């Protein structure tokens, strides 16, 4: 694989760390700002909203920029947002700066996925994209646990200061390792928007939104779930988040390979497994061993979906992949926002800290239903194409 993928993976590592470490340091952040845990969930939702808005907006504004320039600009904005968040004087500024930090997320991954795919050999494009996303999953093995530990020992502000430094390292690596891409040939905003006329593109975005919403309903409240229900100490949460990250890394690896071989059957299996494991987690969360095993499989099942959906939507977009690729990240973070919000609602409603797992299982089932419908449309379109070919032959 091209060495330039390493630079993209470093950027993905920084983005993954800032997105998911918020869940690990949520209690410390809430205590610092003198707010409760559900209210602190707005830091998660604000970041997600930034991604949702920033992915299409920044991609559209920069549609004619060389993609390397786009990647560098997004890393610069990412670094600024996280640095400012680390200095937030109050909750209001904190929410605003988390929103700012989220703006470049989707546009970076959208451009990065196209760059990674363009550098890969035929038949290995989904694998190349998954290698970039490996940085995202490794963030959950290394970045999030260490960031959580740093937040517990030194303070959450130190965690996001380090994230800003990672952004600077990623920008330097991109400048050094990613080859000049040139201006996208024959690309226009109108052409990119045209991809959204295709129903399968919208179905793919819906699968991401609801399927991965199930993951975030669980992960957004994983720290209080593990400490207050399973009985782990806050120090042990670091190791458990690392275990979840190992599951995510394995899931990303498997998803990238399935996407090149049997995309839709693999997607059905991943969504079904996710629904099952989240349902099981409502029971296993009551014990330490069961909780640890289950959170690993939540990571595996949930993060198999990402590379498969990235490959699916780029395939359905045809020759205009940049905006729809970025839109996957919007959908991913709408999923984050929906999961965090619904999870917070059931907790605030008195249903208990494990209740978000039931929400997650329901969302995964909804995502599976949409995927099955999308697969049915594929088969109908294939049969119609065969009939047209037979009619022309006769």
């Amino acid at each position: 694989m091209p060495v330039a993928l390493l630079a993209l993976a470093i950027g993905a590592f920084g983005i993954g760390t800032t997105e998911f470490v918020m869940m690990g340091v949520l209690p410390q952040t809430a205590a610092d700002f003198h707010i409760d845990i559900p209210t602190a969930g707005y830091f998660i939702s604000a970041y997600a909203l930034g991604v949702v808005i920033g992915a299409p907006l920044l991609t559209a504004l920069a549609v004619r920029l060389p993609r390397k320039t786009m990647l560098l600009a997004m890393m610069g904005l990412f670094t600024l947002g996280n640095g400012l968040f680390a200095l937030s004087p109050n909750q209001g500024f904190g929410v605003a700066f988390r929103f700012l930090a989220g703006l470049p997320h989707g546009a970076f991954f959208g451009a990065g996925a196209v760059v990674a795919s363009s550098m890969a050999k035929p038949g290995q494009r989904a694998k190349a994209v998954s290698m970039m996303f490996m940085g995202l999953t490794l963030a959950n093995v290394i970045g999030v646990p260490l960031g959580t530990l740093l937040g517990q020992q030194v303070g959450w502000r130190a965690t996001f200061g380090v994230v800003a430094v990672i952004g600077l390292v990623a920008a330097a690596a991109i400048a050094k390792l990613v080859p000049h891409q040139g201006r996208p040939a024959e690309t226009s905003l109108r052409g990119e928007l045209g991809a959204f006329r295709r129903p399968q593109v919208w179905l793919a975005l819906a699968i991401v939104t609801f399927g991965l919403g199930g993951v975030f309903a669980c992960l957004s409240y994983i720290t209080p779930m593990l400490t207050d229900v399973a009985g782990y100490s806050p120090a042990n949460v670091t190791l458990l988040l690392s275990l979840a990250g190992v599951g995510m890394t394995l899931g990303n690896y498997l998803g990238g390979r399935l996407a090149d071989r049997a995309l839709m059957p693999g997607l059905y299996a991943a969504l079904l497994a996710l629904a099952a494991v989240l349902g099981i987690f409502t029971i296993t969360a009551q014990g330490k061993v069961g909780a640890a095993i289950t959170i690993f499989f939540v990571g595996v099942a949930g993060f198999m979906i990402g590379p498969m959906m990235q490959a699916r939507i780029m395939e359905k977009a045809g020759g205009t992949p940049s905006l729809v690729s970025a839109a996957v990240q919007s959908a991913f973070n709408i999923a984050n926002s929906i999961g965090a919000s619904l999870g917070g609602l059931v907790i605030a409603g008195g249903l208990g800290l494990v209740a978000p797992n039931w929400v997650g299982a329901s969302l995964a089932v909804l995502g599976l239903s949409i995927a099955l419908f999308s697969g049915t449309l594929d088969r109908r379109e294939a049969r119609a194409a065969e009939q047209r070919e037979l009619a022309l032959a006769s």
Side-chain angles (χ1 to χ4, degrees), residues 53-319:
I53 294 174
L57 178 63
L58 296 180
T59 301
L61 289 174
V63 71
R64 294 295 296 158
L65 281 180
R67 292 195 175 103
K68 181 174 180 177
T69 303
M70 175 71 162
L71 291 170
L72 287 170
M74 294 306 99
M75 269 296 107
L77 186 57
F78 167 84
T79 301
L80 176 65
N82 281 284
L84 290 173
F85 180 59
L87 301 173
S88 301
N90 55 48
Q91 179 194 354
F93 276 100
V95 169
F97 292 144
R98 278 291 283 175
F99 174 81
L100 177 64
L103 284 174
H105 176 131
F108 177 86
F109 276 117
V114 175
V115 170
S117 179
S118 69
M119 293 188 294
K121 297 177 182 178
Q124 295 187 350
R125 291 179 177 177
K127 180 181 177 182
V129 172
S130 74
M131 292 303 293
M132 178 189 71
F133 278 91
M134 191 69 74
L136 181 67
T137 57
L138 284 175
N140 290 280
V141 179
I142 302 170
V144 172
L146 291 181
T148 299
L149 182 62
L150 181 64
Q152 291 170 345
Q153 300 300 319
V154 181
W156 66 271
R157 296 177 188 275
T159 298
F160 288 95
V162 171
V163 169
V165 173
I166 294 172
L168 292 175
V169 173
I174 291 167
K176 178 71 174 178
L177 299 177
V178 174
H180 180 64
Q181 299 290 305
R183 293 181 182 274
E186 299 180 2
T187 300
S188 67
L189 179 57
R190 184 175 182 179
E192 292 282 346
L193 289 172
F196 290 95
R197 298 192 188 100
R198 300 170 183 175
Q200 287 284 26
V201 167
W202 287 104
L203 288 173
L205 293 175
I207 294 166
V208 173
T209 299
F210 295 108
L212 286 173
V215 178
F216 290 113
C218 168
L219 294 184
S220 296
Y221 301 95
I222 192 63
T223 297
M225 204 181 299
L226 292 173
T227 55
D228 296 358
V229 179
Y232 282 102
S233 68
N236 286 330
V237 170
T238 301
L239 294 175
L240 290 165
L241 291 176
S242 183
L243 180 63
V246 172
M248 294 173 189
T249 303
L250 177 60
N252 179 74
Y253 177 87
L254 295 173
R257 275 131 192 87
L258 281 172
D260 284 326
R261 297 180 182 179
L263 196 158
M264 292 307 288
L267 179 62
Y268 302 150
L271 287 165
L272 181 61
L274 178 61
V277 78
L278 286 171
I280 292 169
F281 198 21
T282 60
I283 300 170
T284 58
Q286 310 298 326
K288 290 184 177 181
V289 175
I293 294 171
T294 311
I295 195 61
F296 171 80
F297 285 105
V298 169
V300 174
F303 277 72
M304 283 178 66
I305 298 167
M308 288 191 281
M309 292 313 304
Q310 193 77 50
R312 171 84 172 166
I313 202 164
M314 289 174 69
E315 172 191 322
K316 295 302 179 183

